[in-house]
Amino acid sequence: LQRLLEIAEGSEFLRLQVEGGGCSGFQYKFSLDTVINPDDRQGQRSVVVVRVFEQGGARVVVDVDSLAFVKGSMVDFSQELIRSSFQVVSNPQAEKGCSCGTSFSVKF
C-alpha cells in the first residue's frame, strides 16, 4: 500500500488486468489509471463490471473478466536488484507460473 500511495498522484489507482499470453498462457498487466472506463461500474451490485479494492486511500481496480483469474490473490510491491514492480504473489486460481511471476496457467 505504501508504494502505491507514493507513486499514485491525485485520483490515480492501480489497474490489474489479466490477458492471454506470456510463457504460461495468461499474464498479469499492471498500470496506473485515473478513469473508470465507460463500461466499468464501481460497487458490489449484482452486475459488477469492475471491482474496486481500497485500503488506506490506495485503490486497486480489477475488471470482472480479470477478477475470475485473480480472485483470492494478494498483490504486493517487490523491489529486487534487477527490477521493482507490482506482482501477484499468491493466486489460488493459478496452477503454476513462470519464474519471473508475470505469467501463469489456470487450474481447471
Side-chain angles (χ1 to χ4, degrees), residues 20-59:
C23 57
S24 297
F26 294 94
Q27 59 189 359
Y28 303 110
K29 179 182 175 188
F30 290 96
S31 60
L32 286 177
D33 204 344
T34 58
V35 178
I36 301 291
N37 297 322
D39 58 342
D40 291 345
R41 284 183 39 200
Q42 287 181 275
Q44 296 181 17
R45 301 181 184 110
S46 59
V47 179
V48 179
V49 178
V50 68
R51 182 75 188 260
V52 179
F53 300 91
E54 185 170 355
Q55 185 174 354
R59 294 185 301 159

Side-chain angles (χ1 to χ4, degrees), residues 4 7-17 29-40 50 52 57-63 86:
L4 181 53
I7 63 172
E9 297 178 5
S11 62
E12 284 184 321
F13 54 84
L14 183 67
R15 183 178 289 273
L16 167 58
Q17 295 173 288
K29 179 182 175 188
F30 290 96
S31 60
L32 286 177
D33 204 344
T34 58
V35 178
I36 301 291
N37 297 322
D39 58 342
D40 291 345
V50 68
V52 179
R59 294 185 301 159
V60 178
V61 173
V62 183
D63 64 85
F86 287 99

